[in-house]
Amino acid sequence: MKKLLLPIIALIAFSMNAFAGVKSNKELRGDKHFFVYSFVKAIDAYTNVNHLTVEGQRRLAISYQNLEMIIEAEEAYAKLVSLPEGVLPEDYYNYAMVLKTNRKYDQAGIWIEKFLVLKPTDLRGLDYAANKASLPNLLKDNGKFKIVHLDMNSDAEDFGPAYYKNQIVFTSSGTSPDLMKRTYNWNKKPFLNLYVSEVVDNQLQTAQVFDKSLTSNLHDGPASFSNDGNYMAFTRNKTDLKRRDRVVKLDIFFSTFKDDKWSAAEPFILNGKDYSVGHPFLTADGKTMYFTSDMPGGFGGADIYRIKKSEKGEWGKAENMGMKVNTEGDELFPFYEAKNDILFFASNGRFGLGGLDIFICELHGSKIGRVYNAGSPLNSSFDDFAIIANDKISTGYFSSNRMGGSGGDDIYAVNLNLNLSKKIEGFAKTIDGKTIPATFITLLDDKGNVIDTVTTKDDAAFTFYIDSENNFKLTGKKTDYLDGETVTNTFGKNLIVKADIILLQSEKNIEIPPVPADVIHGDVLAFHTIYFDFDQSNIRPDAEIELDIIIKYLNENPDVAIELSSYTDCRANKAYNMLLSDRRQKASAYYIKTRISKPSRVFGKGYGETNPVNACTCESEVISTCSEAEFQQNRRTEFIIVKHLKK
């Protein structure tokens, strides 16, 4: 049932188009076979026609493609797109997809470019344009995946694995002795049923029919189960040959395990007459379901939707997963891993290696995060789809009809080592730990480029999802506060990186009086001078250590007052450096004042680039040759004891 949602759309779209010329009886016979998915007979009829119409040539190409006769499909599409009239933009796209399956990526790109010219807003073409440069990396095996072909595979169609307690349930066209052999027009193989298998060392053992009571006369599967294994959703198809368009429809059904048996199948409320729903995935509690549908209102083709149950147990409104996931092509086989908030799905509409590719979507609650192609060897130039993974995303299973299998769709085991996005989270705070709501936070990369922004809410918390193995800077802005900033990185194994931003109150709110006239100045304290980064006024961790020593001294000596003198290095102009030194003394004074008794004992002043401790001066336009370490010595705050004359 992998492709049932795909050709349905093709048949509807193309059957309505006018064709050039009059159809022969042989071509009309081919159309009859085509409408009932008897593609082998359709091909036999079409290939015996001397001059096919445009529509007949298109249906011949589709028939070859649906039977995975890719070489023949390429030849048929090549002839189709060379016709002088009647060729559709979709023909260009389908031809490109067949070329990809034959690993002719350069030629495929040419035809997608032609498609994009004709349909410049199509999401498939736009995704190609945005990601085509990533092809060499997608083709490269960088060790993220190790795949194993399972011993149980046969020439039957085996696909769509699902976790069921300690077993695996999957969909297969295999037969057992006590089942009547029924063949499907499409590929002359038996209809699909659900099978269950024990798992030993990641290999699936001899499979048994999952439950005879849930077996219908046509296709059944794939399925999904709640975590306790007592509630299931599965796909089933019905064919109404009385309909003029001969459309095969997919529905979703539910069953509950109670009293040692599965209940009669109950239809999904969104099952419809004129569209399909299928490929369900249930979350652990069975109260949320992801599924695929070509229902009206989507982006075109088959889209992925999410739906939730109310407290009364009723399904609510289906939510389309949006244009970051869905395209005018087909998005199929959703699988959601809740612990890591990851949605896996298959698509032939997003830029990939050919056929259906597996994509990874990082969800952040209701927000769609990064969506990317999993790449080789999980994906190939053939169909790769229906992946499932454990809650560590370390092992799983997927389906593929790639070369080297047993024939048709096979199930593979896979070890995964994904490079998932990491999370930077923190709070906007004052120096004494009070949260600051409504702070504007900016995330920048190590080159100063803005990656994302957010304004904190009442809890003053912020969260960013970012790539691994990089350096980042965070800045915070709010009225009546000095800008705060912090640097962090995502090196290492931790998926969550903590990084708070400290904002100091601006000079409007910080009471730091000038040094009174009636004081006696003492000596510079025997404490270490603190230092600042270039063009910065925030208190560094090494400076906090020195300031804490001074704070302890002042709390032990409540009659002592202190004056702070702050400086800059000589770079930038003198007026700017005077302002920068003033910010540095205010930041230093604020840190001390908020931690001592009688904070009015703290005074401060900024002196710009005056009083350097070395010869690092910048006169007129002369560029200093001092090292960064020498400049650092001048970016400082010093501390002097002062005593009031009047008690």
Side-chain angles (χ1 to χ4, degrees):
M1 201 167 296
K2 170 186 68 179
K3 291 187 175 179
L4 282 179
L5 279 168
L6 282 64
I8 293 171
I9 301 155
L11 293 182
I12 294 172
F14 297 145
S15 62
M16 300 302 292
N17 290 297
F19 51 86
V22 178
K23 293 192 175 189
S24 67
N25 289 333
K26 288 183 179 180
E27 182 172 337
L28 291 172
R29 190 179 305 119
D31 289 346
K32 289 181 180 179
H33 295 309
F34 184 82
F35 278 134
V36 294
Y37 304 99
S38 186
F39 297 121
V40 174
K41 291 181 179 180
I43 290 171
D44 182 64
Y46 290 141
T47 53
N48 282 289
V49 177
N50 290 329
H51 299 288
L52 284 172
T53 64
V54 174
E55 187 174 65
Q57 185 65 34
R58 180 180 295 118
R59 288 174 175 169
L60 174 61
I62 292 172
S63 297
Y64 280 131
Q65 190 174 8
N66 285 335
L67 292 178
E68 298 171 359
M69 300 172 67
I70 303 302
I71 301 300
E72 294 84 352
E74 180 184 333
E75 294 173 353
Y77 273 117
K79 185 174 181 178
L80 173 62
V81 299
S82 69
L83 296 176
E85 59 181 16
V87 180
L88 303 173
E90 205 70 21
D91 298 328
Y92 292 156
Y93 188 82
N94 289 336
Y95 182 31
M97 293 299 288
V98 170
L99 288 167
K100 277 189 176 185
T101 300
N102 288 329
R103 297 183 65 85
K104 297 180 179 180
Y105 294 111
D106 291 341
Q107 293 182 44
I110 293 171
W111 291 99
I112 295 181
E113 295 284 0
K114 292 178 182 290
F115 169 79
L116 189 55
V117 170
L118 296 174
K119 300 189 72 174
T121 62
D122 192 288
L123 295 172
R124 294 169 294 177
L126 294 174
D127 199 64
Y128 160 80
N131 295 287
K132 61 183 179 180
S134 66
L135 179 62
N137 188 53
L138 293 180
L139 290 168
K140 187 186 304 180
D141 183 353
N142 56 17
K144 291 187 297 185
F145 310 107
K146 293 182 180 179
I147 63 175
V148 177
H149 184 259
L150 298 185
D151 298 337
M152 51 72 64
N153 288 310
S154 65
D155 61 354
E157 301 292 339
D158 303 307
F159 68 96
Y163 292 117
Y164 172 64
K165 299 182 178 179
N166 295 321
Q167 300 170 304
I168 294 291
V169 171
F170 64 96
T171 305
S172 177
S173 62
T175 59
S176 61
D178 55 345
L179 284 177
M180 182 182 297
K181 185 175 182 180
R182 297 167 289 113
T183 59
Y184 180 39
N185 277 347
W186 187 318
N187 53 16
K188 297 304 178 183
K189 292 186 177 182
F191 281 86
L192 301 169
N193 288 303
L194 291 172
Y195 289 78
V196 62
S197 175
E198 300 290 338
V199 181
V200 178
D201 296 329
N202 287 336
Q203 287 281 350
L204 304 189
Q205 304 305 296
T206 302
Q208 304 293 327
V209 173
F210 176 69
D211 191 277
K212 293 180 182 179
S213 68
L214 295 176
T215 299
S216 70
N217 292 325
L218 297 176
H219 292 296
D220 296 299
S224 177
F225 299 85
S226 59
N227 198 48
D228 61 11
N230 292 328
Y231 184 59
M232 69 178 292
F234 63 97
T235 307
R236 172 175 287 173
N237 91 272
K238 295 180 294 185
T239 304
D240 182 1
L241 294 180
K242 295 180 181 179
R243 291 173 59 104
R244 293 182 61 189
D245 54 15
R246 301 293 206 277
V247 172
V248 175
K249 182 179 65 173
L250 302 186
D251 289 335
I252 291 175
F253 288 85
F254 303 99
S255 182
T256 302
F257 191 73
K258 187 176 181 181
D259 299 328
D260 293 326
K261 64 180 181 180
W262 288 99
S263 65
E266 299 177 2
F268 181 33
I269 191 173
L270 291 183
N271 290 347
K273 294 181 179 180
D274 300 317
Y275 57 85
S276 289
V277 292
H279 302 171
F281 173 80
L282 293 170
T283 56
D285 59 7
K287 295 181 179 180
T288 299
M289 183 173 71
Y290 295 81
F291 66 96
T292 293
S293 178
D294 61 340
M295 68 176 67
F299 288 87
D303 285 0
I304 293 176
Y305 290 81
R306 175 171 53 194
I307 192 168
K308 298 181 180 181
K309 281 185 176 180
S310 67
E311 294 181 358
K312 296 180 179 180
E314 299 173 347
W315 291 111
K317 184 179 179 180
E319 169 196 4
N320 188 294
M321 294 302 291
M323 62 187 297
K324 279 193 172 183
V325 171
N326 294 313
T327 68
E328 293 87 347
D330 299 289
E331 282 68 48
L332 311 168
F333 295 98
F335 174 85
Y336 175 65
E337 201 296 294
K339 184 175 180 181
N340 294 280
D341 215 9
I342 301 295
L343 175 69
F344 295 87
F345 65 95
S347 174
N348 62 12
R350 299 206 162 273
F351 181 74
L353 300 182
L356 291 168
D357 272 19
I358 293 170
F359 287 80
I360 300 167
C361 173
E362 298 177 357
L363 300 179
H364 312 310
S366 60
K367 183 179 179 182
I368 305 292
R370 185 170 57 135
V371 180
Y372 59 97
N373 189 301
S376 178
L378 187 62
N379 287 324
S380 68
S381 62
F382 290 82
D383 289 327
D384 307 289
F385 59 101
I387 188 171
I388 62 175
N390 64 3
D391 62 4
K392 296 180 181 178
I393 314 186
S394 58
T395 63
Y397 298 90
F398 74 103
S399 310
S400 179
N401 65 347
R402 65 184 59 193
M403 299 292 289
S406 299
D409 296 324
D410 287 346
I411 298 176
Y412 292 76
V414 58
N415 290 331
L416 303 98
N417 182 21
L418 300 184
N419 185 25
L420 298 177
S421 293
K422 294 188 176 181
K423 181 165 64 172
I424 293 178
E425 62 181 23
F427 294 88
K429 296 179 177 180
T430 64
I431 197 71
D432 55 353
K434 295 180 180 179
T435 57
I436 310 175
T439 301
F440 184 72
I441 309 295
T442 302
L443 173 70
L444 305 98
D445 63 19
D446 55 2
K447 296 180 181 179
N449 300 311
V450 175
I451 300 173
D452 201 357
T453 62
V454 69
T455 299
T456 64
K457 297 183 178 180
D458 291 343
D459 60 358
F462 58 85
T463 300
F464 294 105
Y465 294 88
I466 33 74
D467 294 335
S468 299
E469 312 301 311
N470 280 303
N471 293 303
F472 298 93
K473 182 167 77 171
L474 295 149
T475 64
K477 293 178 179 291
K478 182 168 180 174
T479 304
D480 295 335
Y481 287 84
L482 300 175
D483 293 351
E485 70 173 46
T486 188
V487 294
T488 189
N489 66 74
T490 53
F491 296 97
K493 296 183 178 180
N494 293 333
L495 292 177
I496 300 177
V497 178
K498 299 287 187 180
D500 294 336
I501 297 179
I502 306 301
L503 283 77
L504 301 176
Q505 289 179 292
S506 68
E507 54 270 25
K508 295 179 182 178
N509 297 323
I510 300 176
E511 295 297 332
I512 305 179
V515 180
D518 55 347
V519 300
I520 296 175
H521 286 72
D523 296 327
V524 174
L525 286 175
F527 298 122
H528 291 117
T529 297
I530 66 169
Y531 297 94
F532 298 84
D533 291 330
F534 175 68
D535 197 29
Q536 302 299 320
S537 59
N538 57 293
I539 303 300
R540 303 188 325 199
D542 59 325
E544 289 183 6
I545 297 173
E546 300 303 327
L547 292 175
D548 288 344
I549 295 173
I550 296 172
I551 290 166
K552 184 175 184 296
Y553 173 82
L554 291 175
N555 282 327
E556 292 174 349
N557 297 274
D559 294 329
V560 172
I562 189 172
E563 179 187 357
L564 287 66
S565 301
S566 296
Y567 303 90
T568 70
D569 64 35
C570 65
R571 291 173 290 185
N573 61 60
K574 292 183 179 180
Y576 179 82
N577 283 335
M578 189 62 72
L579 293 173
L580 176 59
S581 67
D582 188 57
R583 293 200 300 272
R584 286 174 176 170
Q585 67 88 7
K586 284 182 169 66
S588 305
Y590 183 80
Y591 188 96
I592 297 172
K593 285 168 66 68
T594 56
R595 290 165 171 80
I596 64 172
S597 61
K598 296 194 295 185
S600 59
R601 298 182 285 155
V602 178
F603 313 99
K605 185 176 181 180
Y607 294 92
E609 62 188 70
T610 62
N611 299 328
V613 298
N614 52 34
C616 293
T617 58
C618 308
E619 298 299 333
S620 64
E621 297 182 358
V622 177
I623 299 175
S624 175
T625 58
C626 288
S627 66
E628 182 59 31
E630 290 173 312
F631 280 128
Q632 174 71 96
Q633 294 178 41
N634 291 324
R635 300 194 299 265
R636 69 197 193 276
T637 294
E638 297 174 344
F639 309 94
I640 302 174
I641 291 178
V642 296
K643 293 183 179 179
H644 286 274
L645 293 176
K646 298 179 180 178
K647 299 295 184 179

